[in-house]
């Protein structure tokens, strides 16, 4: 038996489909939303629609951006011959917050995980290799220190090595399995400065 109107059920269902939102949170959010002033709901819905419509992947590094090229790829003051490979746009943001990295990035949008059935073709690896056809001095692999991150780092290093481009891996000291975005800036900087050649 349905306790709620079908409209509320529909809203709860949509919210439950979001990551990290369980049935209880979805219910709470749904009731909150229907008690909000209509104009606030419109604003929320509009911001979701507009973000979904206008945010896209940078043509070069595949981070999320409003333009064809992200501000980092467009910048003339960045060193375009050094590419840091990260798993997510959130990791990129973590390194940008340190304000000390002058190269550019490449966002994979995931990591290789045989267990979850994520293979090399499922992340932006082909696109990275394509970028390496231009003049690149160094590729810094800054994937997470998890099993998936390490697997991905090994795979990429083996792929790039024959080209003669220098491949480095950020130093460990970053907690095992730790997501980069939760690590403080000092630790990130130390990991970057202590990177080792693979
Ligand atoms: Zn970019």
């Amino acid at each position: 038996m349905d306790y709620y109107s079908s409209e509320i059920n529909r809203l709860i269902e949509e919210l439950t489909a979001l990551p990290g939102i369980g049935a209880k949170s979805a219910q709470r959010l749904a009731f909150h939303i229907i008690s909000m002033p209509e104009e606030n709901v419109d604003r929320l819905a509009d911001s979701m629609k507009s973000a979904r419509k206008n945010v896209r992947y940078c043509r070069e590094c595949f981070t999320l951006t409003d333009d064809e090229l992200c501000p980092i790829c467009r910048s003339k003051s960045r060193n375009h011959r050094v590419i840091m490979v990260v798993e997510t746009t959130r990791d990129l943001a973590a390194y940008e917050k340190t304000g000390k990295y002058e190269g550019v990035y490449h966002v994979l949008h995931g990591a290789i995980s045989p267990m979850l059935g994520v293979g090399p073709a499922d992340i932006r690896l082909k696109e990275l290799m394509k970028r390496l056809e231009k003049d690149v001095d160094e590729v810094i692999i800054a994937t997470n220190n998890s099993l998936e991150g390490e697997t991905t780092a090994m795979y990429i290093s083996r792929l790039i090595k024959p080209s003669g481009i220098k491949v480095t891996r950020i130093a460990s000291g970053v907690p095992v399995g730790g997501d980069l975005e939760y690590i403080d800036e000092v630790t990130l900087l130390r990991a970057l400065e202590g990177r080792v050649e693979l």
Side-chain angles (χ1 to χ4, degrees), residues 12 21 96 111:
I12 293 175
I21 309 277
E96 274 308 281

Side-chain angles (χ1 to χ4, degrees), residues 88-106:
T88 67
T89 293
R90 296 192 309 266
D91 295 335
L92 177 155
Y95 272 103
E96 274 308 281
K97 259 204 292 191
T98 69
K100 293 270 162 57
Y101 175 65
E102 282 163 2
V104 292
Y105 297 90
H106 188 86

Side-chain angles (χ1 to χ4, degrees), residues 15 17-18 22 53 80 96 102 109 133 167 169 177-178 183 198:
L15 291 168
L18 298 172
K53 197 169 156 217
H80 292 261
E96 274 308 281
E102 282 163 2
H109 293 283
E133 289 169 9
V167 186
R169 174 90 173 107
I183 295 161
L198 289 178

Side-chain angles (χ1 to χ4, degrees), residues 58-63 69-73:
C58 169
R59 162 161 65 84
E60 192 77 6
C61 74
F62 292 90
T63 194
L69 272 180
C70 76
I72 297 170
C73 289

